[in-house]
Amino acid sequence: MDKFSFLHPGMKSHFSDRFVTRISDCLGWYKEGMSGDVGLIGLPASKSSITPSHSSGAPQTIRSCLNSYTTYSGERSKDYKDLRILDFGDVRIHPTNLDETISRLYISVKEMLEVRACERYVLLGGDHGVSYPAIRAFQDHYGTVGVIQWDAHHDVRNLEDGGRTNGTPFRSLVESGHLKGDHLVQVGIRDFSNAMKYHEFAKDHGIKVYTMGDVEQTGIVPIVKKEVERLSKITNIIYLSVDMDAADQAFAPGCPAIGPGGLTSRELLASVSEAAKHEKVKAMDIVEVDPAVDFRDMTSRLAAHVMVRFLFL
């Protein structure tokens, strides 16, 4: 028997509608010489997480959640079914050596950029520590980089108490000279979630900090629009870094550092959409999703929807 009637070995079984294109249908593995619209890479590192985390499993889970969304936007009356996403796969993480892992992440992102297969990129963490080597690679490739960081935390902890962790990426970038302080914007910083010393570090280095109080008073979309315009005038490209714990625990229960008082899912999605519209926004990472503690993939589904808002302009 050469074929099966209803079995497809190696493939998941799911309902198919001839009129529906799912975002997962737009993904294809990168091969040498190919070109596409958006490059996708997984950075499954989570051993540096201060809070025990299995966020190394997030890239694959978020990819699978893309099957939950279609390419058609009713609000925009547009079907994005022709968008081509090239998947570069996941970086192989060293099992014990953190420095080696950071090096592998940097080299892999740099190599992806060097083939110039795409105009924009999505990077799936992993904990927030992956942003340090990733943004370094973008800075080395494009020159001056501006960053908008959605986060409950500053992530500028000292390195003496634990080395490089998911709480240190932006301190590492600023102190190494790969990112100027006033080229970093932090949105959604949550009350009673940071130390005074780290808030002072951010202010002393010129980092633009918008707390949840600022978001409530001004609105997140006007804040993001203002800062994207400012960064576009002083940097070569803009990189978005979305720590999913910026969202309230009601919307993102699968984050290692959940907490109340965060962004709603609509605020997060609307602000990412606003930022992604600008031509200088070239990349976005999505970090701090732990599928092992998530509920019905709520956090991974929101992360996948954040990715959708970046993909479809």
Side-chain angles (χ1 to χ4, degrees):
M1 186 174 182
D2 295 329
K3 63 179 181 178
F4 298 100
S5 297
F6 301 105
L7 291 175
H8 300 278
M11 297 176 62
K12 289 185 177 181
S13 176
H14 62 270
F15 176 75
S16 178
D17 184 322
R18 70 189 70 184
F19 299 114
V20 175
T21 305
R22 302 193 178 276
I23 295 171
S24 52
D25 296 330
C26 298
L27 267 69
W29 293 108
Y30 169 76
K31 295 181 181 179
E32 187 175 354
M34 293 178 65
S35 62
D37 300 297
V38 180
L40 177 65
I41 189 170
L43 310 178
S46 61
K47 290 184 181 295
S48 70
S49 181
I50 295 170
T51 305
S53 168
H54 292 88
S55 57
S56 56
Q60 291 300 327
T61 304
I62 295 171
R63 281 186 182 90
S64 68
C65 287
L66 293 174
N67 193 54
S68 300
Y69 300 106
T70 71
T71 58
Y72 175 67
S73 169
E75 293 181 1
R76 304 178 191 180
S77 297
K78 184 174 181 179
D79 197 328
Y80 295 87
K81 62 183 179 180
D82 294 326
L83 189 84
R84 193 173 190 187
I85 306 169
L86 298 184
D87 196 335
F88 286 78
D90 289 355
V91 179
R92 285 181 292 175
I93 303 304
H94 194 281
T96 58
N97 190 321
L98 180 58
D99 288 337
E100 174 63 20
T101 287
I102 291 173
S103 176
R104 292 184 183 187
L105 295 171
Y106 169 80
I107 289 170
S108 298
V109 174
K110 190 169 183 287
E111 289 176 342
M112 176 182 69
L113 297 175
E114 286 174 345
V115 299
R116 302 180 185 275
C118 306
E119 288 294 318
R120 297 186 298 140
Y121 301 90
V122 173
L123 303 86
L124 300 178
D127 67 36
H128 217 157
V130 305
S131 296
Y132 169 57
I135 293 173
R136 277 178 52 214
F138 274 86
Q139 193 268 342
D140 288 344
H141 185 78
Y142 286 103
T144 310
V145 176
V147 177
I148 298 181
Q149 170 195 356
W150 283 256
D151 209 326
H153 312 97
H154 292 295
D155 285 357
V156 294
R157 289 178 182 267
N158 75 84
L159 277 71
E160 288 75 20
D161 289 334
R164 298 199 194 281
T165 68
N166 63 336
T168 67
F170 295 101
R171 187 187 196 105
S172 298
L173 287 163
V174 170
E175 290 188 337
S176 66
H178 286 91
L179 182 64
K180 294 182 179 180
D182 65 340
H183 292 174
L184 173 60
V185 179
Q186 299 182 329
V187 182
I189 300 299
R190 200 173 303 164
D191 217 10
F192 303 107
S193 299
N194 296 275
M196 179 187 292
K197 192 73 173 177
Y198 300 137
H199 187 78
E200 291 173 346
F201 177 94
K203 291 296 187 181
D204 291 344
H205 286 79
I207 298 171
K208 301 292 184 180
V209 177
Y210 293 91
T211 66
M212 280 305 302
D214 296 320
V215 169
E216 290 169 5
Q217 184 173 7
T218 306
I220 193 169
V221 172
I223 288 172
V224 168
K225 184 175 183 179
K226 170 189 171 183
E227 290 299 337
V228 167
E229 286 299 324
R230 183 182 68 84
L231 289 175
S232 70
K233 294 178 173 62
I234 57 177
T235 64
N236 292 340
I237 69 158
I238 298 172
Y239 180 110
L240 312 181
S241 184
V242 181
D243 186 326
M244 291 299 295
D245 70 25
D248 191 278
Q249 61 186 8
F251 302 96
C255 293
I258 60 171
L263 300 172
T264 67
S265 59
R266 289 177 64 85
E267 286 174 322
L268 178 58
L269 295 172
S271 56
V272 168
S273 289
E274 178 61 38
K277 290 189 297 187
H278 199 284
E279 61 183 5
K280 279 201 171 182
V281 174
K282 296 295 185 182
M284 177 179 68
D285 68 39
I286 304 174
V287 298
E288 299 294 346
V289 175
D290 184 348
V293 297
D294 207 2
F295 176 72
R296 296 194 66 185
D297 290 333
M298 282 177 61
T299 314
S300 293
R301 285 173 182 265
L302 178 55
H305 204 158
V306 167
M307 179 176 165
V308 171
R309 294 301 182 102
F310 177 83
L311 292 175
F312 300 153
L313 304 178

